[in-house]
Amino acid sequence: MEVTGDNLLTPEDSNQIHGDILESIFNHVPLVDLVPATYVSKSWKLAVSTSLQGVGGGRRRCPNRIKPWLLIYNQNTRFPHSTTAHAYDPRSHVWIEIHEPSIKFISALRSSHSTLLYMLSPSSFSLSYDPLHLTWHHIKAPHIWRIDPIVAMVGKRVIIAGGTCDFEDDPLAVEMYDLETCKWEMCESMPALLRESASSTWLSIAVNSNKNKMYVVEKSTGVAYSFDPSIKAWQGPYRLRPQTTCTISHCFIGFANHDRLIFVGIIGDDIKSIKLWEVDGESLEVFREIGEMPKQLVERLKVISSEDDAENMTCFGTPTPSSIGVSLMDDLVYIYISSVGGAIIMCEISGDGGGACSWTSVKKMSGIDVDRCKVTQGTILGCSMVGLDDLDKALRGSRKFQVKETG
């Protein structure tokens, strides 16, 4: 079904379906199709809300709750740089094609710590941070020319650090843009220990929205620092290395629900395994293992293929730890090969604090995989917490959503 703004009409008759029966039906309806249902009547709107929220207290989670979408953008590297967008909704287990206006091209599209999308050139800086990227903010470029910086949204401030061009004096320079004052400010430079890895290629970042702090970890060593925008300074170093006999070749960090800092470790140069640990948010000490990807899913992740395995294995070879990408939000972790066609593995972390994990492979949508393998395509992945209000706003604009396949 294609959902557009034209679907948002109020029927004269709600067919007298109500109560638990209606909520049970809504449990099986894709999120994008629930938006028109909220306009049928007040009782239907209440039933939609109840079906998504469930009951219970504390950390108990409703199984039918809204979950973070995985967003995949394919941008053509040639003029006019057209962009296609698809999303996977884990609550509904469906792939969705998003029809939206073309994004005004500034430079190559990039993503950072899940929701944030941005484009950076020597003369301009464009970013979007709402869940469906309905609004783009076009601001003056930072003072220092950068080609591969880390970029983070911390409260109403945008932090951009490292990734400078070779001719810049300070490769560790940090600048901060205040969205309220519309001004750039210079901050304390990145720590000297990160001099050889001060770019998004070699660093993983996470943002704690409640504490208004950014955390940075060197993917290959686990050396970590935190940055506080209020004082424009860094703290650390911290050593994010679990007590394990396994060799961790690559790591990522991200915040799950309830400010739980999660450490994702790639085991071995040949990706023997992938494990998750929880990190103490105060001391930044890795204190317990909470999950390990099942071996059959590890092997599936390592197969780079679309419709023709042999051809693509010849073109792209066996994936390395540096080719792994991770997006983490709420209690979901998406793990994937970041540049070419491959499996997408999803891990759901228990919300009760017990640390249990459930793993599954997301069925790939036909068409996306082929596009991801084209040399003329740049692929950007991230995740967003998309709610009914976000979809309603998008539908009232110029977006259309079409459910394509069951994942």
Side-chain angles (χ1 to χ4, degrees), residues 81-97:
H81 308 288
S82 57
T83 302
T84 60
H86 296 83
Y88 177 73
D89 176 7
R91 171 199 168 270
S92 310
H93 307 290
V94 295
W95 280 102
I96 301 164
E97 185 174 358

Side-chain angles (χ1 to χ4, degrees), residues 11-264:
E12 296 178 356
D13 186 7
S14 63
N15 296 326
Q16 304 303 313
I17 303 175
H18 55 81
D20 293 341
I21 296 177
L22 192 58
E23 291 176 20
S24 179
I25 293 173
F26 288 155
N27 285 341
H28 302 280
V29 176
L31 191 66
V32 292
D33 294 328
L34 287 178
V35 178
T38 63
Y39 285 86
V40 173
S41 65
K42 290 183 179 179
S43 62
W44 277 47
K45 185 175 183 179
L46 178 61
V48 169
S49 177
T50 303
S51 71
L52 296 175
Q53 295 176 4
V55 295
R59 288 189 172 183
R60 186 180 174 187
R61 312 299 303 279
C62 169
N64 195 50
R65 73 190 187 279
I66 294 174
K67 299 178 181 180
W69 287 16
L70 178 68
L71 299 177
I72 300 179
Y73 291 89
N74 282 318
Q75 184 185 57
N76 198 305
T77 57
R78 297 174 180 172
F79 183 82
H81 308 288
S82 57
T83 302
T84 60
H86 296 83
Y88 177 73
D89 176 7
R91 171 199 168 270
S92 310
H93 307 290
V94 295
W95 280 102
I96 301 164
E97 185 174 358
I98 304 174
H99 301 271
E100 59 183 8
S102 179
I103 300 172
K104 179 183 177 182
F105 181 79
I106 301 297
S107 65
L109 189 65
R110 300 182 182 184
S111 65
S112 178
H113 70 95
S114 298
T115 299
L116 180 65
L117 290 183
Y118 69 95
M119 294 178 286
L120 176 64
S121 75
S123 59
S124 59
F125 181 41
S126 298
L127 69 155
S128 178
Y129 46 84
D130 60 274
L132 287 170
H133 306 294
L134 305 180
T135 304
W136 281 86
H137 305 267
H138 305 287
I139 61 180
K140 185 179 179 181
H143 301 297
I144 296 174
W145 190 1
R146 306 169 189 270
I147 55 175
D148 187 27
I150 58 171
V151 180
M153 184 85 179
V154 186
K156 291 294 184 179
R157 298 182 176 101
V158 180
I159 314 299
I160 182 165
T164 63
C165 291
D166 292 338
F167 57 75
E168 294 288 353
D169 294 333
D170 184 5
L172 300 171
V174 178
E175 295 175 80
M176 180 171 65
Y177 185 82
D178 192 311
L179 291 171
E180 294 180 338
T181 64
C182 300
K183 292 181 179 179
W184 283 104
E185 296 180 82
M186 295 301 299
C187 304
E188 179 186 0
S189 295
M190 299 176 74
L193 278 178
L194 300 179
R195 175 173 292 273
E196 301 301 321
S197 58
S199 71
S200 64
T201 301
W202 309 113
L203 297 176
S204 175
I205 64 174
V207 173
N208 187 320
S209 299
N210 292 326
K211 293 184 178 180
N212 282 331
K213 279 189 176 184
M214 176 181 74
Y215 297 82
V216 175
V217 62
E218 196 172 50
K219 294 177 182 178
S220 61
T221 65
V223 173
Y225 291 86
S226 64
F227 179 79
D228 187 342
S230 65
I231 59 175
K232 307 175 189 176
W234 296 84
Q235 295 175 311
Y238 307 96
R239 183 73 171 174
L240 295 188
R241 278 295 177 181
Q243 296 296 323
T244 177
T245 57
C246 302
T247 301
I248 299 176
S249 58
H250 234 60
C251 65
F252 302 85
I253 55 173
F255 278 95
N257 209 23
H258 306 289
D259 293 341
R260 300 167 67 189
L261 183 57
I262 305 300
F263 178 97
V264 182

